[in-house]
Amino acid sequence: MRKILFVLYIILILFIRLNSTEKIVKFESEIKGVLKEISPSLVKVVTENHRNYIASGIAVESDLIVSNIKLIGHPYTKIYVVTVKGNKYGVKVVGKDKFSSLILLKSDKNVFRPVKMGKKGEIGDWIGLVGAFYKEFPFLNQGIISSQTETELILNGTVVPGSSGGAVVNKKGEFLGVIRGVFGFRSFPQYTFKDNSAELKIMPLIKRQKDLCYAVPAGRVLRVVKDLKKYGYVKRGWLGVNISDNKKGFVKVDHVTVSSPADSGGIKKGDYILNVAGKSIKHSQGLADSIKEMNPGDKVIVKVRRNGNRKDIKVVLGEYKIDTMKLKKIQELEFQKKLSVIPERLERIPSIRNYTFNLSRSKTLGVDVISLTPELADEFGVKEKTGLLVSKTSSVPAAGKIKLKVGDILVKAKGKVLKKPSDLKDALNSLKEKESLNIKFYRKGKLLSAKIVPQVGRSNFFFLNKFSDKFFDVRRWVEENEVRRLKESLEKLEKYKSQKEKKRAEYANKRIRREIELLKKEQLRKYKREMGKLLKEKKKLEEEIKKMKEEKEKKKKSG
């Protein structure tokens, strides 16, 4: 009996092992099938500038590829893609969208197989993460869908360097989204410092979770691609309000832009926004994100609380004018380039990633200023030889009949001379609530006076992790580009000099030609005058000869 039981036990173990092996083989086969299915649509995207930066990309059309915007955050001289088979193709950026972190690349060759779209997944579904891993390509990882919304997927899967812009796929190798980056958690304030003008909160901001990542859902990707292909940017909804987070967890309207959709619909300053298009609003960033994900022209119901009563307001969204904002930014950058002749020392930027500064209740004129140098004072005709130059203005200027502009030079505030930015800050902080600031400033060489009511700052969060993300490579960038920038500056200077010399030469040539023409005309007039005299002399001679002939004839007849 024991022998029979032992044999049966051995047979059972063999059966379990064989069954487990079959399941493993089947799973491995499925995974390889996923990679085989997605590979023709997958590329490695490379930018070059002394060193290479690598990301992943997905073909959405035979000549169009979606990738991550961080790839073009560095200066580059060349951009191209490499397929899984090793084929290399040049591409160009046709559009970018910072809100979704997506860029659209276009190739001259129609060689890519568009990715197959999958149905929307569910929480707990298996997913594959496919892309590049540094220079290794392709790279495959796995996980599950941990959470999802219309605009975001949170996945229990690891993002590795180079995989941003890669594909999130299901078991069939069908496309579910684009890998965006590592997920992190926000924590509560730890330290708070207050004075009569400002409040400073320092808090641990985000603890990055290497086992979780963000992804852009396929539906949102297609919408972004459609607009990038057509316009080069994404058309987004615009409400026209400035908002802040209330301590009780409400979103308060601090300002309504004149003639904006909010103004036309009837939203007023002081309203609390509770709900937009059926979605509950819990914080200001949530409202901003919701509006920007809607389309211009969408009709939405905004639920507000006003004076303790709830009210539904119908609003037709406008278009977020990104081109206008870009133009303003470009104009400001061009102006700042003119100031780049001022020598400035580059300081090392610390890599601070874990803290948030919350600045509130400070008074401001809605402008950025820099101290005026004696050279610039002479350039702008400032008699005081000192002042503050307006280098940038905000989208919501301080109240007053005269609005400050880029290029204005502030010389006095409350009768006191302004020498450095802190002088202006002291003058602002000494004002009572709603008190106006008497200020004198130069504009195009003219000294003007104005009374301006400062803005009172709302809670503005400055996320140092975002600052660090943007400037993470500043030191390396400076090292790589300092020599190039100096060379470019010298080339521009030489070009400027040569252009000035060319213009001077052209002016001199014009003057010489003009003088030659005048000489020619004068010589011609003299020639005509001399010719006139000669003709008169000739006529007199002809008359004398005629008389002599007549006298000679008379003598012959009389003789």
Side-chain angles (χ1 to χ4, degrees):
M1 187 68 180
R2 288 182 179 179
K3 290 182 179 179
I4 295 171
L5 289 173
F6 180 74
V7 171
L8 289 173
Y9 177 72
I10 295 298
I11 293 171
L12 181 62
I13 290 174
L14 291 172
F15 175 78
I16 291 171
R17 286 186 175 180
L18 287 171
N19 192 39
S20 299
T21 303
E22 287 177 2
K23 286 182 178 180
I24 292 169
V25 171
K26 184 180 179 182
F27 181 70
E28 288 177 346
S29 178
E30 289 176 351
I31 295 296
K32 291 176 181 177
V34 167
L35 189 59
K36 185 179 179 181
E37 178 62 36
I38 193 65
S39 289
S41 307
L42 189 69
V43 295
K44 178 168 61 176
V45 191
V46 184
T47 57
E48 289 185 356
N49 182 14
H50 305 297
R51 60 168 292 178
N52 292 356
Y53 295 95
I54 295 171
S56 304
I58 303 295
V60 288
E61 293 185 19
S62 60
D63 61 342
L64 294 177
I65 291 161
V66 172
S67 188
N68 191 286
I69 199 169
K70 287 185 179 180
L71 184 71
I72 59 172
H74 311 277
Y76 63 91
T77 57
K78 188 177 181 181
I79 182 169
Y80 58 88
V81 299
V82 181
T83 66
V84 172
K85 292 183 177 180
N87 297 322
K88 181 177 173 182
Y89 302 98
V91 293
K92 61 180 180 179
V93 180
V94 296
K96 57 184 179 180
D97 178 45
K98 66 177 183 179
F99 298 109
S100 62
S101 294
L102 297 178
I103 57 171
L104 187 63
L105 308 173
K106 183 175 176 61
S107 171
D108 293 333
K109 308 291 184 180
N110 294 292
V111 294
F112 308 107
R113 194 191 79 179
V115 69
K116 291 183 180 179
M117 294 294 165
K119 293 181 181 179
K120 183 178 178 180
E122 297 180 356
I123 294 174
D125 282 356
W126 181 93
I127 51 94
L129 302 173
V130 194
F133 178 44
Y134 289 106
K135 294 184 179 181
E136 301 304 320
F137 183 66
F139 173 83
L140 174 63
N141 196 5
Q142 64 177 336
I144 61 170
I145 299 175
S146 298
S147 177
Q148 65 177 340
T149 65
E150 294 297 323
T151 60
E152 187 175 76
L153 290 173
I154 297 176
L155 311 171
N156 184 359
T158 305
V159 174
V160 295
S163 64
S164 292
V168 180
V169 295
N170 59 20
K171 287 183 179 180
K172 296 179 181 179
E174 297 170 334
F175 181 63
L176 298 180
V178 172
I179 302 169
R180 183 168 179 173
V182 177
F183 180 79
F185 293 102
R186 186 180 301 172
S187 60
F188 295 101
Q190 280 192 339
Y191 306 102
T192 302
F193 304 93
K194 292 183 179 180
D195 63 11
N196 63 339
S197 64
E199 179 182 277
L200 176 64
K201 290 183 180 179
I202 303 179
M203 64 182 76
L205 176 66
I206 288 181
K207 293 181 179 178
R208 295 177 178 271
Q209 293 292 322
K210 295 181 179 179
D211 295 332
L212 293 175
C213 67
Y214 285 114
V216 185
R220 188 184 184 197
V221 172
L222 292 179
R223 187 213 158 191
V224 169
V225 167
K226 182 181 177 182
D227 277 8
L228 291 182
K229 181 181 176 182
K230 191 173 183 180
Y231 309 109
Y233 67 97
V234 178
K235 287 195 171 186
R236 298 189 176 278
W238 175 60
L239 188 59
V241 293
N242 284 67
I243 52 178
S244 63
D245 291 315
N246 183 270
K247 290 181 180 179
K248 296 181 180 180
F250 299 117
V251 175
K252 184 181 179 182
V253 177
D254 296 325
H255 175 80
V256 179
T257 305
V258 178
S259 301
S260 66
D263 188 28
S264 301
I267 295 175
K268 296 182 179 180
K269 180 180 177 180
D271 287 348
Y272 291 95
I273 297 177
L274 310 174
N275 188 294
V276 175
K279 295 180 180 179
S280 179
I281 301 300
K282 295 181 180 179
H283 49 80
S284 55
Q285 190 60 48
L287 175 62
D289 292 343
S290 295
I291 295 297
K292 285 173 184 175
E293 287 304 318
M294 297 180 190
N295 295 309
D298 283 354
K299 297 177 182 179
V300 298
I301 301 295
V302 180
K303 190 183 291 291
V304 303
R305 194 183 73 186
R306 181 183 300 165
N307 299 325
N309 299 317
R310 297 197 175 198
K311 185 174 183 176
D312 288 347
I313 299 175
K314 294 181 180 179
V315 176
V316 179
L317 296 181
E319 183 181 348
Y320 180 71
K321 297 291 185 180
I322 192 167
D323 286 344
T324 304
M325 293 183 70
K326 276 185 179 178
L327 180 61
K328 182 180 177 183
K329 188 69 176 177
I330 289 168
Q331 289 171 342
E332 288 173 352
L333 288 173
E334 289 299 321
F335 182 80
Q336 288 169 5
K337 281 181 183 178
K338 294 178 182 178
L339 307 179
S340 63
V341 294
I342 307 170
E344 294 182 0
R345 183 179 176 183
L346 287 169
E347 299 290 344
R348 287 185 175 272
I349 298 175
S351 181
I352 303 173
R353 306 179 70 86
N354 267 344
Y355 293 93
T356 300
F357 288 78
N358 173 18
L359 305 175
S360 65
R361 298 193 298 112
S362 59
K363 297 183 180 70
T364 174
L365 293 180
V367 296
D368 290 350
V369 294
I370 59 174
S371 298
L372 203 64
T373 62
E375 294 82 6
L376 283 174
D378 293 335
E379 179 74 22
F380 288 102
V382 178
K383 296 177 182 178
E384 291 79 358
K385 301 299 181 183
T386 185
L388 301 175
L389 178 65
V390 176
S391 60
K392 183 179 178 181
T393 60
S394 69
S395 58
V396 184
K401 291 183 179 179
I402 298 179
K403 309 297 184 185
L404 294 176
K405 298 179 179 179
V406 172
D408 289 346
I409 299 166
L410 315 182
V411 290
K412 282 188 178 181
K414 292 189 73 174
K416 295 183 179 179
V417 176
L418 300 174
K419 295 182 179 180
K420 50 188 181 296
S422 60
D423 294 338
L424 179 60
K425 183 181 178 182
D426 291 341
L428 288 167
N429 290 337
S430 67
L431 297 175
K432 297 178 181 178
E433 188 175 356
K434 296 184 180 179
E435 182 184 355
S436 61
L437 179 68
N438 293 321
I439 194 162
K440 288 190 176 182
F441 62 97
Y442 282 92
R443 179 175 291 172
K444 296 182 178 179
K446 293 183 179 180
L447 184 62
L448 303 174
S449 298
K451 288 185 177 182
I452 301 177
V453 179
Q455 300 175 15
V456 178
R458 57 188 176 86
S459 295
N460 292 314
F461 286 92
F462 178 55
F463 297 112
L464 283 185
N465 74 314
K466 293 182 180 178
F467 175 84
S468 181
D469 285 343
K470 282 190 175 182
F471 293 102
F472 187 76
D473 293 321
V474 165
R475 283 171 290 189
R476 185 180 65 250
W477 185 88
V478 169
E479 290 169 3
E480 292 178 352
N481 291 277
E482 189 173 3
V483 174
R484 179 181 59 80
R485 289 174 65 187
L486 286 171
K487 285 182 179 179
E488 287 178 355
S489 297
L490 289 171
E491 288 173 0
K492 286 180 182 178
L493 184 62
E494 292 298 324
K495 188 177 180 181
Y496 175 72
K497 287 181 179 178
S498 64
Q499 286 176 345
K500 286 193 75 173
E501 290 172 359
K502 187 178 179 181
K503 285 181 180 179
R504 285 176 182 169
E506 288 177 355
Y507 177 76
N509 288 335
K510 285 181 181 178
R511 188 176 61 189
I512 291 168
R513 285 196 295 270
R514 195 161 52 243
E515 289 176 356
I516 289 171
E517 290 296 324
L518 289 172
L519 285 171
K520 284 182 178 179
K521 288 179 181 179
E522 183 62 27
Q523 290 294 333
L524 185 61
R525 283 196 293 270
K526 287 181 179 179
Y527 174 75
K528 285 181 178 180
R529 285 198 296 269
E530 292 297 325
M531 285 295 293
K533 288 179 182 180
L534 288 172
L535 288 172
K536 286 180 181 179
E537 293 292 330
K538 180 183 176 183
K539 191 174 181 181
K540 286 181 181 180
L541 286 171
E542 286 177 348
E543 290 177 352
E544 289 179 1
I545 291 170
K546 187 177 179 182
K547 286 180 181 180
M548 289 175 64
K549 284 183 178 180
E550 288 176 350
E551 289 177 358
K552 189 176 180 180
E553 289 294 326
K554 285 180 181 180
K555 285 180 181 181
K556 281 184 179 181
K557 289 180 180 179
S558 61

